[in-house]
Structure formats: C-alpha cells, structure tokens
Amino acid sequence: MAWLGEKLSGVSRYFNRQLTISVMIIAISSFNYGFDNQGFATTQATDAFQRRFGDKQADGTYQLNDVWLSLFSSLIEVGFAVGIIIGSLITRRFGRRKAMFVMSIYELGTATVIITSQGRNQILVGRILNYVYVGMEIATVPIFQSEIVPGPIRGFVVSTYQFALILGGLIMNIINLGTSRFDDDRAWKIPFGLFYIIPVFVASTIFLIPESPRWLLVQGRRDEARANLTKLREGRFSQEEIDAEFAALDYGLENESEKGSFKELFQGLNTKRTMIAIGAHFFQNLCGQAIVSKFGSLIVKSLHSISPFVGTVIFALTNLVFVFIGMTLADKIGRRPLLLMSTLGQMGALLVLGGIGTTGWPIKDVYKPVALVFLVVQTAGFSIGFAPLGHVVGAEVIALRLREPSQMISCCANVLANFAVGFSLPYLLNAPYANLHLQVGWVFAPICFIATIFVYFMVPECKGKTLEQIDHLFQSRTPIRKFGSYKFPNEYVNNPDKLGPNEVENVEASANRV
C-alpha cells in the first residue's frame, strides 16, 4: 500500500485550507444522489414498501407492478433532463455557488413530497421531482470541481463526485438494513428522511467558499477571479506561480475562438469534443450498471440466498472501495487504462451471469454464490473506471467557452441511457415479458464491447494537463491517441499549472511543426 500513501501525499500538497473546505462542501452535495439512488433501490425490496405501493397477490403477499416499476425507474429521467437544463442555465448565468444554493432549497420541498406519500402516484411524482435536483447537481458539481483545482489532481477531485455518491448510497444501505426489520411505513420513511440533511448543510455553507475563478473571468470580473484563485492556491503555491496560472487562464479564455452558442457544439473541432463527452456519459450508464444499482436488491431477493439488504451493503462497499481505487489511480496511470479495465471487467462479468442464467430459473443452489460473486465483479468493473471517470472525461474535453452547454448536452445523453435501461430492465428481467433474469447479461455484454472500442479510439489521455492545455491540443489537431505522450516544450512540463502566455505561444509554434 506504499503507492497509496505516496499518492495521497502527492495529492495533499496541492490543498490549502480553503481548497480543502471547498472540495469537501461541493462533494458532500452528491450524497443526496446516492441517498436517492440506493434509497429507492433498496426500500422497494421491503415488505412495507411493497404493501404500501404494490398490488396484492393471490397468496396474500404484495408485489410491485412491473409496468409501474418500469415507470418508477425511467420517468425520473424526465426530471433529470429538466434539472440538467435548469442547472446549466443557472450555473452559466448566476454562477456555480448560486446554482448549488437554489438546488438545495428546492430539494427540501421534494423530500417532503416523498416522505408524505400515501400512494404510488404521489411517490412516483416525488421521485421525478427529486431528480430535477439530481440533474441540477450533475450540471453544476463536476464543472465547479474541475475549475477550482490544479490540473495534476483534477482527475482525483472530480472523481470525488462519484465517491460521495457511492458513500451516500452505502450510508443509505446500512440504514435500510436496520429499518428493514420494521413492518410498517417506518421501514422506508426513516431512510427518506435523510433527504433533508445534505441540502440544509450545503445551503448553509456554500457561500463560505470562493466562486469559480474561471466563471468570474468569463463574466469580466478579473479582480474577483484573481482574488479567488489566490485564496485557493496561497500557502501551497508562490505568488509568481499563482500569477502564471491566472495568466494562462486569462490567455486561454481570450484566445478561445468559440463564443459559447449551442450550435457551435457540432461545428468544426467542437464536434469531436462534444461526441467524446456525450460518449463518456452515454456508456457510463448503458453498460448495465443499473442491473445492480437499481435492481440489485430485487435480484438478490429472487435468488433466495442472502438477505437483499445485506447484498446491497456488499454492493455499496464494493462500489466505495473500487471508486476510491479509481480515484487514486486516475492521475497516476491515466483515464484510458482504467476505462478499458472498466468496460472489459463489466463485459466479462455479464457474460458469466448470462451463462449462469441459461442453466434455468430458479437457478440451482450451486450457482447462487457464483451469481452473487459476479454481480460484485460487475459492480467493481463499473466502479473502477466509468463510475468516477465518466464525469472527469466529460468535464475536461469540452471547449472552455462551451462548458455549460457541452455539459448540458452530454448529461442529456446520460439521461437517455438511464431512461432506456431503467425502462427496459423490468421487462427484460421478469415474466410475463422477456423473463431473462440473469440472461440479461447477454444484452449488455455487447454494449460493453462497443464501449471498449469507443474508449480505445476516441477518448484522449488528459492526465496531468490543465484545461487550457487540453484545449490547445484539440485546437492544434493533435491525434487523440497522442494526447497522453504529448510533451509541452517549456520549463513547466512537470508543473502544467504554471503555463503562462509566453509559454503557450511557444507551444503553438511547436505544435505547428508537429
């Protein structure tokens, strides 16, 4: 574990007190996404939830209707899309902090709708409204994180979005494990009560951290931008280094050709960048991670092996451990190796699960432990790569002046993939429809193969490079697969945040000779 200590030590040297507080507050806001994701995924396996929102069966038990379950898992993406649009507009016009404040206040209202639900129509509407908050969050948080940290630790810090999401899910799963013993509505109302905690905290603290220097500079507020960058760097960087970073940021924005309109997303060089961001978000959810994250508790319950609530805790712990590994390795070995490991790991696990499914249903006792193990493997494959790095890649490949519209459209691809998977899975898994059960692995394994091809040929290696340097590499038409090996010919090769205007001019001259 020496590499881990070395990695964390290397990361900590970039953090002063202000940056540490800022990163923590922004990351903590993602807890509620995890609360929602695992709160609903786990409580739907409780007898109390099924009795309140399900249909009574001939044997006296209750079961969630497959059609309603499909809508419950897919219509949330409508709210997600609305939230992405609203969040993108607010964060672009009024700033990152105000966007986070607005979404936190909004969440208090949706939490009340959910926790007071008496019928399945109300809780369906409540969850859709709650995903407006989630959409606003994903439109704001990764961009905010990427804009306040030095380039060498951007992968690690932006990955904290997914880490906090998974940690929130783990907390929710542990609470659900405890409340599952209740036979009344407390079994699901107590977990949903957590929805109030994070918004209150974020709304109370968000204005204690600096606004994004990059956003302030785009707004023409140079003095504030310089002051905020200084707050985020002082004590860890010299004033000369801070001035050089500010000069590079200023130069990059002044010489950015794009003017920020939506139509430019698919014009010229921006088309490639937009498609990479869209692909990163699209494949993040289309490779089948929802099999475990949304329906894992129901699948484990149907195996009649271990408690579904114990199973969800195991899945959440696996998520947490492997997301953390992905975070710590992202700026060490790079994005591409982890993403390839992610797609291939998921594909292998899904093929095994599909093979087990062909032995018949219910599956034999001898195969149940194997199925559980490969559900964990599938989770680990997702968590080490696409879980933390889908957002990282999506946030760093987009053009500087097109960040908000690019984030909006790429997140909408995330919504589309989520909707398609969430809507189809209940029909794919259960009778009287496709009734595939574990054979659903055959459906998603080929998608993982396509994602592998996408990563290998389309995703650039941006490890250790500033957003301005990445922008330059695209503008100079550097081949995608040469991003990682490209060396900037100046004295700041090993400290890319120190790239100033004169050095950028040298890079441009060098690039023209390549």
Side-chain angles (χ1 to χ4, degrees), residues 341-497:
M341 193 183 306
S342 181
T343 56
L344 293 173
Q346 289 182 85
M347 183 172 67
L350 289 166
L351 288 173
V352 173
L353 290 170
I356 293 173
T358 61
T359 63
W361 190 266
I363 65 173
K364 297 177 182 179
D365 289 344
V366 68
Y367 294 123
K368 290 179 181 179
V370 181
L372 289 170
V373 166
F374 278 92
L375 285 171
V376 171
V377 172
Q378 199 269 341
T379 301
F382 170 68
S383 299
I384 200 170
F386 261 104
L389 296 179
H391 301 292
V392 174
V393 172
E396 65 188 6
V397 300
I398 52 185
L400 296 180
R401 288 192 182 275
L402 293 171
R403 292 182 65 73
E404 292 84 2
S406 295
Q407 182 76 351
M408 182 189 299
I409 199 166
S410 59
C411 286
C412 284
N414 188 301
V415 169
L416 180 62
N418 259 322
F419 179 85
V421 174
F423 183 81
S424 62
L425 268 176
Y427 296 104
L428 292 172
L429 290 169
N430 303 320
Y433 307 102
N435 199 28
L436 293 177
H437 297 291
L438 293 182
Q439 291 184 72
V440 75
W442 298 122
V443 176
F444 289 96
I447 299 174
C448 291
F449 178 73
I450 296 171
T452 302
I453 295 175
F454 166 77
V455 171
Y456 187 80
F457 289 104
M458 291 295 295
V459 176
E461 182 55 73
C462 299
K463 176 188 69 173
K465 294 177 173 61
T466 67
L467 297 176
E468 289 71 34
Q469 289 176 332
I470 295 169
D471 195 64
H472 168 77
L473 290 175
F474 277 108
Q475 293 294 338
S476 63
R477 300 179 183 274
T478 302
I480 290 293
R481 292 176 61 191
K482 291 186 178 180
F483 272 47
S485 60
Y486 189 92
K487 301 297 183 183
F488 283 82
N490 61 74
E491 63 178 310
Y492 299 110
V493 168
N494 297 317
N495 297 284
D497 277 312

Side-chain angles (χ1 to χ4, degrees), residues 258 261-278 402 405-406 409-410 413:
E258 291 83 359
S261 63
F262 277 92
K263 67 179 181 179
E264 291 182 76
L265 292 174
F266 296 98
Q267 292 179 350
L269 291 172
N270 292 328
T271 302
K272 178 191 292 187
R273 303 174 74 164
T274 301
M275 295 308 297
I276 295 171
I278 287 175
L402 293 171
S406 295
I409 199 166
S410 59

Side-chain angles (χ1 to χ4, degrees), residues 33 37-38 77 162 165-166 281-296 319 346 350 375 378-379 381-383 386-387 414 417-418 421 425 444 448:
Y33 191 176
N37 195 4
Q38 290 306 302
E77 305 306 328
Q162 190 72 25
L165 188 163
I166 298 300
H281 281 272
F282 193 68
F283 285 115
Q284 184 185 51
N285 290 295
L286 204 64
C287 287
Q289 60 86 18
I291 294 172
V292 175
S293 67
K294 290 187 177 181
F295 299 98
N319 262 323
Q346 289 182 85
L350 289 166
L375 285 171
Q378 199 269 341
T379 301
F382 170 68
S383 299
F386 261 104
N414 188 301
N418 259 322
V421 174
L425 268 176
F444 289 96
C448 291

Side-chain angles (χ1 to χ4, degrees), residues 100-355:
M100 294 189 68
F101 178 80
V102 169
M103 75 186 193
S104 298
I105 298 300
Y106 170 84
E107 171 69 351
L108 299 177
T110 64
T112 303
V113 174
I114 292 170
I115 207 168
T116 58
S117 295
Q118 297 298 308
R120 58 191 180 193
N121 289 335
Q122 181 178 345
I123 199 167
L124 174 60
V125 171
R127 195 179 187 198
I128 293 171
L129 293 175
N130 196 57
Y131 255 68
V132 174
Y133 164 84
V134 174
M136 294 174 69
E137 180 186 76
I138 200 172
T140 305
V141 170
I143 283 182
F144 198 178
Q145 290 174 319
S146 70
E147 290 180 342
I148 65 172
V149 298
I153 58 170
R154 187 176 58 254
F156 178 84
V157 171
V158 177
S159 295
T160 62
Y161 174 81
Q162 190 72 25
F163 184 79
L165 188 163
I166 298 300
L167 183 57
L170 174 61
I171 293 170
M172 178 62 79
N173 285 327
I174 292 173
I175 291 173
N176 276 318
L177 178 62
T179 60
S180 63
R181 63 186 176 85
F182 293 126
D183 195 43
D184 54 28
D185 285 348
R186 289 179 296 171
W188 57 272
K189 284 193 174 184
I190 291 175
F192 292 156
L194 292 179
F195 288 3
Y196 288 104
I197 297 174
I198 300 302
V200 170
F201 172 79
V202 173
S204 302
T205 59
I206 191 63
F207 291 108
L208 300 178
I209 68 176
E211 180 57 86
S212 161
R214 185 173 274 102
W215 180 82
L216 289 170
L217 200 53
V218 169
Q219 303 302 310
R221 296 157 62 176
R222 293 177 55 83
D223 292 341
E224 291 178 69
R226 183 185 292 275
N228 282 4
L229 183 63
T230 300
K231 291 177 183 177
L232 294 165
R233 301 288 185 270
E234 62 185 352
R236 297 294 182 176
F237 293 80
S238 68
Q239 190 59 51
E240 180 182 356
E241 292 168 338
I242 296 171
D243 290 342
E245 181 179 355
F246 183 80
L249 173 60
D250 191 21
Y251 181 88
L253 291 173
E254 286 182 358
N255 289 274
E256 179 63 59
S257 60
E258 291 83 359
K259 302 303 180 183
S261 63
F262 277 92
K263 67 179 181 179
E264 291 182 76
L265 292 174
F266 296 98
Q267 292 179 350
L269 291 172
N270 292 328
T271 302
K272 178 191 292 187
R273 303 174 74 164
T274 301
M275 295 308 297
I276 295 171
I278 287 175
H281 281 272
F282 193 68
F283 285 115
Q284 184 185 51
N285 290 295
L286 204 64
C287 287
Q289 60 86 18
I291 294 172
V292 175
S293 67
K294 290 187 177 181
F295 299 98
S297 63
L298 295 178
I299 291 175
V300 173
K301 188 175 184 178
S302 70
L303 292 175
H304 302 291
S305 177
I306 63 174
S307 164
F309 308 105
V310 173
T312 56
V313 171
I314 293 173
F315 296 147
L317 283 171
T318 303
N319 262 323
L320 195 69
V321 169
F322 281 88
V323 164
F324 184 73
I325 292 173
M327 287 170 54
T328 56
L329 292 178
D331 293 315
K332 183 178 179 68
I333 68 173
R335 286 70 158 136
R336 284 170 52 87
L338 290 171
L339 289 172
L340 290 170
M341 193 183 306
S342 181
T343 56
L344 293 173
Q346 289 182 85
M347 183 172 67
L350 289 166
L351 288 173
V352 173
L353 290 170

